[in-house]
């Protein structure tokens, strides 16, 4: 009963491979456990990548210096990667459900740019503000930017699948140009660059704990995921099912904006993640939502771990920010997804 | 009619030129194109003179030559960006595309970066500027002709898809450039940065001279092709029916656009929405659709926007070089407006 309702894109409906995979259900839990183990292994690898020597023998020998390094730097970093990866991917999924569009995520609709503008504003007006305050202002701006996008979206009568992300990207560009203007005026362009590019190199104990907030938000998103699907089908449909459309949309808006704002303030923007992961999950496992959310979380964490490890090893001993690796990989995968659409249309 | 898009939005992006002429807000009823061009030319001259003489102090010949170079750079960039956008919109039969939205200048920056990354900055610095420029423009032409011809002759139907692919390709090029820039030595990076972020204030006189000559040549070719452009603007099918070799001329336009984009990017860096702004304004002003009128008006409007805008910013608002940010902002809003208005029809 839920399958036709949940297939959000015509693309997924037409793809026979997806339908076949959906009908035969392998022992899902086994696969999930296997996936979790794989991500766990990646996390362990990530613990041992770095300039300072943290090798297994040294740890087993009880070298206090090595253990300090692990607890102060390596574990917080890996945790931050996993938390941010999970949250951003799930936020992308929620966004896609809400606007019923496969090509949308917080960084293609202006949410991330708005959050950055918020941080800039609070940095200029109250340079000494505590991080929670910055995060709060960033969240308010992110909410505003996302609401603006949804309002613009409401003016597009035909929900053209491809027009929605174009409008979103341009909206983000316009907000970004305002940010650049003021950053230029207050000589904060370089600082701005640090926010706009996701980077885990600065993560230490005491500087990532706020990301646990997004873990809670992600869980809330999981619990409410079904509602976002219904809300995406329109106000009338939702009301007929006895639900409050406005309340659900507001909840989704708040979740997505908060996740984006917290991630941007702690580690910076991670582009394309929320776009790629839900799409891949949908290709592999179909659009059954109960299954999609855990897989999205798992893939999100795994993808960022891989990108972070690449970024740390490609130019060893220096580091390339994860955001750059992600923008190259992510844009390539996004292009492949788009051209798949083109092939089908031709 | 592209069969993959719903009819409500299908016609909008490829709206034929004549469709947008009903609400010509800026065009007074009885001004002929010739008169309009004259008026604009006078305004342009006024801007140039004002820019040259206002607040002139100190060593006159030094100040004048510095200002002259800046004005020259602005004129060259205005013509290059304006013409490339106009041509690009005409061959794609589309009012909201510009070469930069489709990733042209990110491609140019990527080629520059890749050259420095593979050959090293010392090779590039010691090579003669003309040779270097020739190689870059050559690579640019080859890549853009391959990539964009494939894009524009493949699935001509799905224009939204093409636009989105263009935007993502631009993002990909930018991401790849910044990745390469991060991988190279800091000293190499500084050389590279100088290559594409020369602002209007630091333009090399020699480079400006070469660029001005090339832009003038391209402009002459464009002027010669003005009648073909009028036909092309009727749409691909109509143009072919009327005897235009569509594929050949699209390739030629892509080559010309590559040259113009390479020149403007090398002179002042990437400007995304400037062309869109100027060409849209020109369409608002010209009631009669003809490239004979559009070509000069686009060039003059571009020069007025840049020189006049810079003048206002410096003398009235006291900013230094943030003009491009303001143009980006205004152009971005215009782009969104055109997108939304087109879809609502």
């Amino acid at each position: 009963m839920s399958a036709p309702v949940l297939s959000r894109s015509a693309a997924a409906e037409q793809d026979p491979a997806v339908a076949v995979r959906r009908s035969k259900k392998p022992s899902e839990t086994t696969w999930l456990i296997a996936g979790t183990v794989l991500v766990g292994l990646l996390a362990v690898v990530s613990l041992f990548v770095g300039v300072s020597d943290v090798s297994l023998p040294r740890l087993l020998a009880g070298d206090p210096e090595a253990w300090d390094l692990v607890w102060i730097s390596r574990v917080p970093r890996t945790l931050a990667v996993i938390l941010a990866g999970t949250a951003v991917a799930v936020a992308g999924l929620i966004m896609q459900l809400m606007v019923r569009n496969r090509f949308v995520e917080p960084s293609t609709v202006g949410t991330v740019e708005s959050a950055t503008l918020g941080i800039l504003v609070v940095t200029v007006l109250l340079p000494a503000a505590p991080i929670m305050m910055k995060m709060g202002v960033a969240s308010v701006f992110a909410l505003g930017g996302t609401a603006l996008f949804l309002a613009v979206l409401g003016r597009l009568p035909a929900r053209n699948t491809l027009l929605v992300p174009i409008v979103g990207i341009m909206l983000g560009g316009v907000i970004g140009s305002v940010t650049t203007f003021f950053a230029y005026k207050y000589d904060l362009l370089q600082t701005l660059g640090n926010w706009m590019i996701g980077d885990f190199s600065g993560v230490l104990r005491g500087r990532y704990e706020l990301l646990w907030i997004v873990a809670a938000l992600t869980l809330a998103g999981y619990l409410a995921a079904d509602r976002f699907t219904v809300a995406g089908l329109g106000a009338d449909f939702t009301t007929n099912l006895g639900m409050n459309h406005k309340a659900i949309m507001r909840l989704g808006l708040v979740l997505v904006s908060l996740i984006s704002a917290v991630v941007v303030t702690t580690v910076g923007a991670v582009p394309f993640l929320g776009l790629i992961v839900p799409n891949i999950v949908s290709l592999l496992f179909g659009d059954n939502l109960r299954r999609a959310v855990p897989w999205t979380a798992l893939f999100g964490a795994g993808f960022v771990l891989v990108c972070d490890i690449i970024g740390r090893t490609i130019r060893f001993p220096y580091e390339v920010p994860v955001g750059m690796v992600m923008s190259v990989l992510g844009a390539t995968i996004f292009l492949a997804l788009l051209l798949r659409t083109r092939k089908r249309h031709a | 009619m592209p069969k993959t898009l719903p009819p409500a939005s299908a016609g909008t992006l490829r709206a034929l030129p004549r469709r947008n002429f009903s609400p010509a807000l800026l065009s007074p009823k009885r001004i002929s194109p010739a008169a309009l061009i004259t008026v604009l030319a006078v305004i342009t001259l006024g801007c140039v003179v004002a820019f040259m003489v206002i607040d002139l102090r100190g060593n006159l010949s030094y100040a004048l030559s510095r200002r002259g170079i800046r004005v020259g750079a602005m004129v060259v960039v205005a013509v290059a960006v304006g013409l490339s956008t106009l041509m690009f919109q005409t061959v794609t039969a589309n009012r909201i595309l510009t070469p930069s939205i489709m990733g042209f200048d990110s491609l140019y920056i990527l080629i520059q970066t890749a050259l420095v990354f593979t050959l090293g900055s010392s090779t590039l610095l010691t090579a003669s500027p003309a040779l270097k420029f020739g190689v870059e423009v050559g690579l640019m032409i080859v890549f853009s002709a391959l990539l964009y011809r494939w894009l524009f002759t493949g699935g001509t139907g799905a224009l939204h898809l093409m636009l989105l692919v263009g935007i993502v390709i631009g993002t990909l090029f930018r991401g790849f450039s910044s990745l390469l820039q991060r991988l190279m030595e800091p000293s190499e990076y500084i050389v590279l940065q100088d290559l594409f972020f020369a602002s209007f204030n630091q333009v090399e006189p020699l480079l400006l001279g070469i660029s001005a000559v090339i832009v003038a040549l391209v402009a002459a070719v464009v002027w010669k092709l003005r009648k073909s452009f009028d036909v092309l603007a009727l749409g691909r099918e109509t143009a072919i029916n009327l005897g235009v070799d569509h594929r050949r001329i699209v390739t030629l336009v892509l080559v010309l656009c590559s040259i113009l984009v390479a020149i403007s990017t090398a002179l002042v860096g990437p400007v995304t929405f400037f062309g869109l702004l100027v060409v849209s304004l020109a369409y608002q002003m010209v009631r009669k659709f003809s490239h004979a009128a559009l070509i000069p008006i686009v060039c003059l409007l571009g020069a007025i926007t840049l020189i006049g805008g810079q003048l206002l910013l410096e003398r009235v608002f006291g900013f230094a070089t943030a003009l491009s940010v303001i143009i980006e902002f205004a152009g971005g809003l215009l782009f969104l407006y055109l997108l939304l208005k087109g879809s609502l029809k």
Side-chain angles (χ1 to χ4, degrees):
Chain A
M1 104 230 124
S2 61
V5 171
L6 292 176
S7 19
R8 296 175 296 284
S9 65
E13 269 172 18
Q14 288 164 359
D15 194 343
V18 171
V20 169
R21 277 190 205 123
R22 193 185 296 149
S23 63
K24 67 165 184 210
K25 285 179 181 166
S27 46
E28 179 90 17
T29 343
T30 329
W31 281 112
L32 261 179
I33 291 172
T36 315
V37 171
L38 198 69
V39 172
L41 281 177
L42 278 172
V44 173
V45 171
S46 136
L47 283 180
F48 288 101
V49 179
V51 180
S52 315
D53 176 39
V54 178
S55 57
L56 208 51
R58 271 187 83 184
L59 288 179
L60 289 178
D63 187 337
E65 202 183 311
W67 278 106
D68 270 0
L69 203 68
V70 167
W71 289 119
I72 294 173
S73 160
R74 298 293 168 79
V75 169
R77 179 172 190 156
T78 306
L79 274 177
V81 170
I82 293 175
L83 288 174
T86 309
V88 172
V90 172
L93 180 66
I94 293 175
M95 190 102 221
Q96 296 183 3
L97 294 174
M98 275 167 52
V99 304
R100 299 191 70 204
N101 191 303
R102 270 282 171 224
F103 297 127
V104 160
E105 66 139 353
S107 76
T108 59
V109 304
T111 309
V112 172
E113 285 82 357
S114 313
T116 316
L117 179 61
I119 305 180
L120 183 77
V121 167
V122 78
T123 309
V124 169
L125 296 181
L126 294 165
I131 185 123
M132 286 306 279
M133 171 105 174
K134 287 190 179 172
M135 211 168 262
V137 175
S139 305
V140 171
F141 272 79
L143 272 173
T146 321
L148 179 66
F149 170 72
L150 289 178
V152 169
L153 202 61
R155 286 175 51 104
L156 297 174
R159 284 273 178 102
N160 184 308
T161 324
L162 299 161
L163 190 61
V164 172
I166 295 172
V167 171
I169 292 173
M170 287 308 146
L171 194 63
V174 171
I175 297 172
S177 77
V178 176
T179 313
T180 316
F181 177 72
F182 285 107
Y184 174 82
K185 207 176 158 221
Y186 293 101
D187 215 4
L188 287 168
L189 267 181
Q190 234 176 349
T191 324
L192 186 71
N194 293 341
W195 294 325
M196 288 307 277
I197 296 170
D199 189 1
F200 291 99
S201 62
V203 172
L204 293 173
R205 191 167 63 196
R207 291 193 51 185
Y208 82 102
E209 281 78 358
L210 287 164
L211 284 176
W212 287 105
I213 298 175
V214 300
L217 296 172
T218 312
L219 189 69
Y222 172 61
L223 295 176
D226 282 356
R227 286 160 201 267
F228 298 129
T229 318
V230 176
L233 295 175
D236 293 343
F237 189 89
T238 319
T239 314
N240 275 343
L241 289 180
M243 287 190 252
N244 186 341
H245 179 257
K246 266 198 175 145
I248 301 173
M249 289 300 270
R250 220 179 291 138
L251 175 68
L253 205 70
V254 170
L255 282 181
V256 170
S257 307
L258 282 181
I259 290 178
S260 309
V262 175
V263 173
V264 169
T265 29
T266 43
V267 296
V270 196
F272 289 111
L273 176 67
L275 192 84
I276 305 303
V277 172
N279 271 293
I280 292 177
V281 169
S282 157
L283 286 177
L284 291 176
F285 304 104
D287 285 336
N288 185 334
L289 205 68
R290 287 235 174 272
R291 301 168 64 188
V293 177
W295 279 114
T296 307
L298 202 59
F299 270 65
F303 193 28
V304 183
L305 274 172
V306 170
C307 288
D308 190 45
I309 292 174
I310 293 177
R312 279 197 270 174
T313 46
I314 192 173
R315 177 143 166 63
F316 194 83
Y318 304 104
E319 222 184 287
V320 176
V322 73
M324 283 188 183
V325 181
M326 189 72 83
S327 69
V328 172
L329 275 182
T332 315
I333 299 174
F334 187 22
L335 261 186
L337 289 171
L338 280 178
L339 294 176
R340 240 179 110 254
T341 321
R342 160 157 150 166
K343 215 180 240 170
R344 187 172 294 119
H345 283 172
Chain B
M1 184 66 76
K3 55 181 178 295
T4 48
L5 297 176
S9 57
T12 57
L13 285 182
R14 52 180 356 212
L16 292 179
R18 59 179 181 279
R19 237 174 99 184
N20 278 7
F21 279 82
S22 37
L25 299 170
L26 298 167
S27 171
K29 271 258 153 66
R30 266 173 231 93
I31 285 193
S32 71
L36 192 61
I37 292 171
T38 319
V39 171
L40 287 176
V42 170
I43 297 179
T44 312
L45 264 180
C47 284
V48 171
V49 171
F51 191 87
M52 294 292 282
V53 299
I54 288 183
D55 259 352
L56 200 57
R57 271 188 303 252
N59 186 336
L60 277 192
S61 65
Y62 173 73
L64 276 180
S65 74
R66 269 196 64 105
R67 289 186 182 194
I69 287 174
R70 291 180 67 191
V71 167
M74 286 194 254
V75 170
V76 168
V77 167
V79 173
V81 174
L83 283 186
S84 62
T85 307
L86 181 66
M87 282 193 288
F88 200 71
Q89 292 194 350
T90 301
V91 293
T92 52
N94 187 311
R95 243 351 142 52
I96 59 174
L97 288 184
T98 74
S100 43
I101 290 175
M102 299 303 291
F104 258 74
D105 36 15
S106 349
L107 175 65
Y108 176 73
I109 287 178
L110 177 61
I111 288 175
Q112 291 257 15
T113 311
L115 276 179
V116 172
F117 188 74
T118 48
L119 301 179
S121 59
S122 50
T123 321
L124 281 193
L125 281 183
T126 47
S128 77
L131 179 72
K132 185 169 106 31
F133 194 77
V135 170
E136 282 160 11
V137 173
L139 279 176
M140 175 91 184
I141 289 169
V142 172
F143 277 113
S144 58
L146 286 176
L147 180 67
Y148 292 98
R149 210 174 82 152
W150 166 72
L151 213 54
F152 287 116
T153 46
T156 40
L159 266 147
H160 287 112
L161 178 63
M162 208 174 65
L163 184 54
L164 190 55
V165 168
I167 293 172
V168 178
I169 284 181
T171 316
L172 178 63
F173 289 160
R174 266 194 299 281
F176 205 62
S177 312
S178 52
L179 194 64
L180 285 182
Q181 287 162 16
R182 196 83 181 195
L183 292 181
M184 60 178 62
E185 302 293 328
S187 56
E188 307 257 288
Y189 175 68
I190 289 171
V191 174
L192 183 68
Q193 204 181 24
D194 282 351
L195 290 180
F196 41 67
F197 286 115
S199 74
F200 286 117
N201 300 325
Q202 303 148 349
V203 172
E204 277 277 316
L206 174 72
L207 202 58
L208 179 63
I210 301 176
S211 308
V213 172
I214 299 175
V215 169
L217 286 177
V218 173
V221 176
V222 174
W223 181 251
K224 246 193 111 190
L225 286 172
R226 62 189 187 277
K227 300 239 163 69
S228 314
F229 284 140
D230 288 345
V231 179
L232 272 176
L234 299 172
R236 181 169 175 270
E237 281 75 19
T238 318
I240 290 176
N241 278 340
L242 290 172
V244 171
D245 187 347
H246 189 265
R247 220 184 152 83
R248 198 182 64 94
I249 205 153
V250 166
T251 312
L252 176 65
V253 163
L254 288 178
V255 168
L256 294 179
C257 280
S258 307
I259 298 173
L260 293 177
V261 166
I263 285 174
S264 72
T265 314
L267 275 184
V268 295
V271 273
T272 313
F273 290 114
F274 174 54
L276 183 79
L277 205 62
V278 171
V279 175
S280 301
L281 266 178
Y283 274 122
Q284 286 288 327
M285 289 186 175
V286 186
R287 299 183 73 88
K288 193 169 132 246
F289 183 81
S290 109
H291 278 79
L294 279 170
I295 290 169
I297 287 180
V298 162
C299 297
L300 290 171
L301 274 177
I304 292 173
T305 314
L306 278 186
I307 302 173
Q310 193 74 37
L311 197 65
L312 274 182
L313 265 192
E314 280 181 24
R315 303 293 165 214
V316 181
F317 299 107
F319 285 115
T321 49
L323 179 64
S324 68
V325 181
I326 292 173
I327 290 179
E328 290 295 276
F329 181 63
L333 283 184
L334 176 72
F335 183 80
L336 281 177
Y337 168 74
L338 290 174
L339 213 55
L340 290 173
K341 189 189 75 166
S343 312
L344 287 171
K345 263 183 191 168

